[in-house]
Amino acid sequence: MQNYTSVSEFILLGIPNTGGLENLLFILFLMFYLFTLLGNLLIFLTILVSSNLHTPMYFFLGNLSVFDIFFPSVSSPKMMLYLMGQSQTISYQGCASQLFFYHFLGGTECFLYTVMAYDRFVAICHPLRYMVIMNPRVCTTLTVGSWLGGCLHGSILTFLVFKLPYCGPNEVDNFFCDIPEVLPLACADTSLAQMVSFTNVDFVTLTCLILIFTSYGCIIFSIFKIRSSEGRRRAFSTCSAHLISIILFYGPVMLIYLWPDSSHWLDSVIQVLNNIVTPSLNPLIYTLRNKDVKLALRKVLT
């Protein structure tokens, strides 16, 4: 290994079994990407300028909108370039950056959904003390902690993957650089890096899921103690959008990282859904099921 030649770039092979569909996929993905950017930017600006939305729940929703602007931008621009016939190569540093930001933002979203579940737990189980518990200092601390935790998570995984030597082949069997596709290309034993990286991802994912399930277990118990059916319906409606987003986010993550031996074509489809489709759905989920956001949007647009 003293005389190996380190690769300076990787080749992204793209989505498998899509030959001849490049133009159609480009138009489709571009529409999703633009809708994601415009929808989430509109929600963020609406929360920013609407004083009635300056509450902890919408503060976290604004952070989620910022995340949904950045997350698809990790892989979508490069993917649409090669769908247009541009070069499919990506530099070594660009590949490392993609992997870092993908897991940095993915870890941040895990933590944000956990914080949002805790916020709903306090709102429903301790409504009289809600504004005292979820004061601005606590909300800021939880949000900053989520972003810092995601940054640490992404840094650990990037270090584990790219501290290994890469001397060829350099073909990444996906439309962006991720752990399952990049690690097998290393010119060294990857068993330790693979075990630690997947353990890290699984630990973060499962820990956040356990905390979310715990919060919603307490929420469901409290809702059933509410006597009026209208009160129960309102309590469920405040949680439904969050639960739908959690299912859309954690479903693909669990299929890719908790069952890494699934078929490659299925993994690619799941990655497309997770990277491109899901971020475009969050604006619809949080606006169509939320009267306050719809009213604020109407005021902003008019």
Side-chain angles (χ1 to χ4, degrees), residues 171 213 224:
E171 294 182 341
F213 286 150
F224 282 126

Side-chain angles (χ1 to χ4, degrees), residues 74-140:
V74 173
S75 59
S76 294
K78 182 65 179 176
M79 178 181 61
M80 286 187 287
L81 281 176
Y82 70 69
L83 286 174
M84 290 174 60
Q86 302 295 321
S87 173
Q88 293 183 238
T89 61
I90 184 171
S91 67
Y92 182 91
Q93 294 79 8
C95 188
S97 298
Q98 273 195 342
L99 192 145
F100 167 73
F101 282 108
Y102 180 75
H103 287 280
F104 161 40
L105 294 169
T108 301
E109 186 172 25
C110 279
F111 298 135
L112 273 177
Y113 278 132
T114 306
V115 168
M116 292 172 76
Y118 174 71
D119 171 71
R120 294 298 83 209
F121 159 74
V122 176
I124 293 174
C125 299
H126 304 283
L128 299 180
R129 295 193 297 153
Y130 176 64
M131 295 307 297
V132 176
I133 297 174
M134 300 302 293
N135 59 69
R137 183 178 178 181
V138 170
C139 293
T140 303

